[in-house]
Every structure is written in structure tokens, then in C-alpha cells.
Amino acid sequence: MAVRRDSVEAVLTGLRGRQFDAASVVAVVEHGRLEGLVTIERLLAAPLGASMAAVMDPDPPVVTPATDQEHAAWVAFQHGEPGLAVVDDDDRFVGLISPQQLFGVLLSEHDEDVARVGGFLATSAQARAATTAPVRHRLAVRLPWLVVGFAGAVLSALLVSLFQAQLEKEVLIAFFVPGVVYLADAVGTQTEALIVRGLSLGVDVRRTAWLELATGLLVGGFLAAIALPAVYLLWGDLPVACTVAVALFAASSFATAIATALPALIHRFGKDPAYGAGPLSTVIQDLLSLVVYFLAATAIVF
């Protein structure tokens, strides 16, 4: 640091023989307040007898300790400054950010942006680590979620068995179980892909959630509007057709809600939703689809 009345020669003499982590700018400080900044290039080019007040930039760009590091780097770049001064809320000088630190911030932010564009939630280094991880690590990450999926499949079978009497009475009901479950999964998968992508890009998930919930209702209504006449015309059973239509509307709506909430919840707990959201949401969607379908059948057909 220096003061306004210091001569350039005195400052340069004071710099000689000393080691610095970075020596790109010199802060001119009076009574703890930043008066200006002088780059090393300007010091070396200053005429004999010049004072620091004569060669300093009296209005340099500054940031506060609370400024986001990416914004700080952008401020330095916009003003063409090799370093950046930090002042507190009372405009008192706190310190300098060196070019090396700014460059490190830019590299870090670039790495994060590349990772987001690639659809990853963390840094590209973590993404590369995930793609090159050994088989043991891959199994450790994936198998727990798939075990949850297997448990869900067992529960689905038990759930269907509870309605065995109804299925024996009206076999046609069983024909549409795979279709209802599949379409609900498909709707949920579309929503899940959008939510995971939004999380990776830093999009406000709350806004996306409302849009997806509205879309899920419309998609469910559209599928129901197609299913009702199609099932009735092909099988001639109006109660079953109504059951399929109601189940598709409800299951699609529920699937959208689940596929919206689960990735955000998994992400909040610091886990990668790319691994867990798919298997877990599929289990829950399948179970709810079956429950909705058989409840609708019980109410309408039986």
C-alpha cells in the first residue's frame, strides 16, 4: 500500500527486494479508505518526481466481501484491471484480489458452465470421474436404487393380487394394466428429464414445476379423451372405457407431480438425481397408477 503523497520512486524502491504472491497493482489508502489503484505498468512508465496521486486511478472498480466471485471476475474484466480492490460496507479498504485469483475463478466458473451445458449437476471433473469410475463404484451407486425398484415390483404384484376377485370377474380390466402403467411412466419420465436438466442448468425449479404440473393435467386429459372412445369402440364396454380414461388422467397427473418433486428433493440432499430419481419415481408412479386404476375399476365397473 501507499499514500497519495508518496513518490513513485519511493514506492518502487520499497517494492524491490521483497517477495509478493502477486504484484500487479498498488493500493493508495488514506486513513483506511481506498483512494485509488496504480498498476505496476503505470508505475514503471511514470515520469521522474511523479506522486502516487498523479498516476493512480481515482475511481477504480471495487467489490465487497459479499460479492459473488464470478461477478467480481467479470467486473475486473470489464474494466481491464489486473487486480481488484475489496472494500467493506463503510468503504474501508479490505484487500486486493490478485490476477491469479481472478483467473482461478474464471476457470472454476467455466468448468461449472461446461458441466451444466453437458447436463451434469456438479463440475465437469466430477462428471469425468463418474464416467471413468470402476465397476465397484458404479454398482455401489446404482444397486441401492435398483433394489428399491425390485421392492416396488414385489409390492405391485401384491397390490394386483388384492384385486384378484375383480380381475376374475372382469378379465378385460387386466388388459389395460400395462398400458396405464406405461403411459404414466412415460409422462413422468418426460417431466423428470426436464427437471433434472433444469437443475443442472440452474433454472428455478419452482417455476418449472408449476408449468409441468399444468402440462401433466392437460396431457392426462388428452390421453383420457383418446382412450374413452377407443376402448369403447374396440371392446364395446363403456364402464371399462371410463375406468381406463379416469385412470389415465389421474395417473398422468400424479406421475407429473412425483417426477417434479423427487429430483428436486434428491438434489436438495446433495445426491445426483440422475441416479436415484428414475428408479424411485418409477416405483412410486407404478404403485400409484395401479392403485388409481383398480380404485377407478372398483367404483365404476363393480
Side-chain angles (χ1 to χ4, degrees), residues 14-114:
L15 293 175
R16 293 189 181 96
R18 300 174 60 186
Q19 290 186 343
F20 301 92
D21 292 334
S24 55
V25 291
V26 176
V28 180
V29 180
E30 295 280 354
H31 306 295
R33 296 185 180 275
L34 180 70
E35 296 291 327
L37 292 179
V38 184
T39 64
I40 293 297
E41 291 84 358
R42 187 173 295 179
L43 280 178
L44 295 174
L48 292 174
S51 67
M52 295 296 287
V55 296
M56 72 180 186
D57 177 2
D59 187 28
V62 297
V63 294
T64 68
T67 302
D68 181 79
Q69 62 177 10
E70 185 176 10
H71 178 70
W74 180 242
V75 169
F77 173 77
Q78 283 182 310
H79 291 83
E81 295 288 348
L84 201 58
V86 181
V87 297
D88 62 16
D89 294 335
D90 297 324
D91 292 329
R92 299 186 66 83
F93 179 68
V94 175
L96 293 170
I97 302 176
S98 68
Q100 292 90 335
Q101 291 172 310
L102 292 172
F103 185 64
V105 168
L106 290 175
L107 282 178
S108 175
E109 294 297 332
H110 173 72
D111 187 56
E112 181 178 341
D113 290 341
V114 169

Side-chain angles (χ1 to χ4, degrees), residues 127-134 138:
R128 286 191 295 269
T131 57
T132 58
R138 295 170 187 264

Side-chain angles (χ1 to χ4, degrees), residues 177-196:
V177 170
V180 171
V181 171
Y182 163 74
L183 286 173
D185 281 345
V187 172
T189 298
Q190 290 177 330
T191 297
E192 180 191 317
L194 288 173
I195 295 298
V196 172

Side-chain angles (χ1 to χ4, degrees), residues 238-240 242-244 246 295-302:
L238 185 58
V240 172
C242 291
T243 297
V244 174
V246 169
L295 287 179
T298 301
I300 297 173
V301 178
F302 306 108

